[in-house]
Amino acid sequence: MESNPTPAQKVKFGISALLPGLMDSPVVGLITRLTKIHAYENNKAGSGQVFSFTLTDETADIRVSVFGKDLKSLLEMCQTVETVRISGGWIKKADPRYNTTENEYEMSVSVDKSGTIMTSNETVNRRPRDYRRISEISACQMKTKVDVRGIISAVEKPKEVKTGAGKLVDLAKVTIVDRSGSSVSCTFWASSSAQVNNWSIGDILAIHGSQVQEYAQMISLGCSQAEVHHWPENSQEFSDLTEWYNGATASQQHFEAVRATQIPPPEQQASHDEEMTLHYPERMFHQFNNMRRIRLRFGSKEVTFSRDSNSWNQQMPTGSTPRPLYTSDMSQQNSWNQQVPTGSTPRTPYTGDSSTRNQEFLTSPAEDED
């Protein structure tokens, strides 16, 4: 764990330049969001320990998972230093269930093999933050990671709640507001909820990597894996925001909670009442190209569509009748299922009109991290 890299070691990559595979050169960055050590055991990798952190520089952030048999001393080093140099890591596609950054990749470092993490005295600048006004969050896609800055207007200390799976877990919330005149609820689950005990109304928070969520048409921010800091009290931004908030509360200003307003533009909406078109990025097409079943969730209700063909579109002989590509297997949904009299033919929920046309079919984003 040398603190001064040799001249040969000084060649390095920026985080944004990392590509899948074994790292060719070291990368230097700042440690944030450091977790505790967890034991693991599986048939493929055997047993050992793992902890993770976010590495950041002026170009990007990336989640780093560190594996080994005994990581206690390495974790202690990461807790006491700010800047580290990593070599011998493996870059792979990020797992959306655990990714805490906007980076499409993540890094694995096995310190018992070729990976090394050492302290560094090199100067690394943080990536500039693009703080969004709270009123703008409703325009973001669900699951998007955003950076926000606001002043706490309400605090809900940690309390034990039961999840849908029947598990008891701690949940805490704070509501933040900013000059846009809007407010948003920030949720902290499990171990992340403890930090809320240190906050009070009037504190200014900078939240990096919160996740945009929606429930019952209201927007909230999932902050369990976010990086949260008190805004420096000696800064001009702190003085200005505090002065504004004191004036707003004295005048009993109402802060409007952010609502979900993501309505497709007119040209993307269905042309008639019997059809709905949902638009997603073209890059998502191949992810669902071989799916046999797709589920849509509307709050507490769910509709499942099963594909009846090996192709999203069907080339049918002249005069023949295409089979429906999707049929709902739910029996209690009013419009997606059809009650058909004996002997009659149901309408097809969806039919393709060309084998080469870009597809516009129903897809589902990744599950929420919280």
Side-chain angles (χ1 to χ4, degrees):
M1 297 183 184
E2 303 170 7
S3 59
N4 295 314
T6 67
Q9 291 175 314
K10 288 187 177 180
V11 177
K12 63 178 183 178
F13 281 146
I15 293 174
S16 63
L18 295 174
L19 297 174
L22 185 65
M23 290 168 52
D24 294 328
S25 296
V27 63
V28 177
L30 306 171
I31 291 181
T32 61
R33 304 178 193 169
L34 183 64
T35 71
K36 298 178 181 179
I37 291 177
H38 299 280
Y40 71 86
E41 184 173 358
N42 58 57
N43 294 332
K44 184 177 180 180
S47 60
Q49 297 179 338
V50 60
F51 69 85
S52 66
F53 57 84
T54 298
L55 191 73
T56 183
D57 66 9
E58 59 271 16
T59 67
D61 301 336
I62 191 169
R63 181 174 182 266
V64 180
S65 296
V66 184
F67 296 88
K69 295 297 183 181
D70 184 2
L71 300 178
K72 181 179 178 181
S73 61
L74 185 57
L75 176 64
E76 291 175 348
M77 185 203 77
C78 292
Q79 290 171 333
T80 58
V81 303
E82 184 177 29
T83 307
V84 294
R85 170 180 281 259
I86 303 176
S87 59
W90 184 266
I91 308 301
K92 61 181 181 179
K93 197 74 172 179
D95 188 332
R97 295 176 298 172
Y98 310 113
N99 194 20
T100 56
T101 75
E102 286 294 292
N103 202 322
E104 62 178 318
Y105 302 119
E106 63 181 345
M107 182 192 305
S108 294
V109 182
S110 177
V111 296
D112 292 340
K113 296 181 180 179
S114 59
T116 60
I117 301 177
M118 62 179 66
T119 63
S120 175
N121 58 6
E122 297 167 83
T123 300
V124 178
N125 297 318
R126 285 181 176 269
R127 181 171 59 91
R129 299 293 181 178
D130 181 20
Y131 292 107
R132 291 183 180 269
R133 292 165 64 88
I134 294 175
S135 61
E136 299 172 349
I137 298 175
S138 62
C140 298
Q141 292 291 326
M142 296 301 109
K143 313 297 183 182
T144 298
K145 299 285 199 316
V146 296
D147 299 335
V148 295
R149 178 179 60 195
I151 191 164
I152 297 178
S153 62
V155 178
E156 295 182 34
K157 298 294 185 180
K159 62 180 179 180
E160 198 172 61
V161 299
K162 182 178 289 188
T163 66
K167 180 181 178 181
L168 293 176
V169 63
D170 287 337
L171 170 65
K173 299 179 182 180
V174 298
T175 300
I176 61 173
V177 300
D178 66 9
R179 290 178 179 273
S180 68
S182 298
S183 68
V184 66
S185 177
C186 304
T187 59
F188 298 84
W189 291 88
S191 59
S192 71
S193 66
Q195 61 191 314
V196 177
N197 289 317
N198 302 321
W199 304 335
S200 304
I201 293 175
D203 288 351
I204 298 177
L205 299 181
I207 305 177
H208 305 151
S210 60
Q211 186 183 66
V212 179
Q213 303 172 344
E214 182 266 334
Y215 179 75
Q217 297 186 328
M218 300 299 297
I219 295 293
S220 66
L221 295 177
C223 300
S224 298
Q225 299 187 42
E227 179 186 353
V228 186
H229 300 288
H230 272 110
W231 197 259
E233 295 186 12
N234 59 353
S235 66
Q236 186 61 47
E237 292 88 348
F238 183 93
S239 299
D240 292 344
L241 192 54
T242 300
E243 182 180 357
W244 164 80
Y245 180 70
N246 290 337
T249 53
S251 62
Q252 298 183 335
Q253 177 177 337
H254 173 70
F255 299 103
E256 186 69 27
V258 180
R259 293 181 173 272
T261 59
Q262 296 186 37
I263 301 175
E267 65 271 18
Q268 294 184 5
Q269 296 184 25
S271 58
H272 54 83
D273 292 339
E274 296 179 355
E275 177 181 320
M276 176 184 291
T277 301
L278 302 183
H279 285 246
Y280 285 85
E282 186 175 348
R283 58 182 169 79
M284 296 182 67
F285 172 79
H286 295 290
Q287 181 180 357
F288 292 90
N289 194 33
N290 297 317
M291 289 292 176
R292 304 298 301 167
R293 180 176 297 171
I294 291 176
R295 292 177 177 173
L296 293 181
R297 291 176 179 170
F298 305 89
S300 61
K301 297 181 179 180
E302 180 179 288
V303 184
T304 301
F305 294 88
S306 299
R307 186 164 58 176
D308 188 11
S309 169
N310 290 329
S311 171
W312 293 110
N313 284 291
Q314 304 174 54
Q315 293 292 328
M316 303 301 298
T318 303
S320 63
T321 302
R323 295 178 300 167
L325 293 183
Y326 289 98
T327 56
S328 173
D329 61 11
M330 299 293 290
S331 61
Q332 296 180 350
Q333 304 298 324
N334 291 332
S335 59
W336 296 106
N337 281 294
Q338 305 170 54
Q339 297 296 324
V340 183
T342 303
S344 64
T345 302
R347 293 174 298 170
T348 59
Y350 182 95
T351 58
D353 54 7
S354 169
S355 62
T356 60
R357 181 174 65 86
N358 288 333
Q359 307 305 310
E360 297 171 354
F361 54 85
L362 307 180
T363 60
S364 175
E367 288 294 325
D368 189 280
E369 65 185 346
D370 289 330

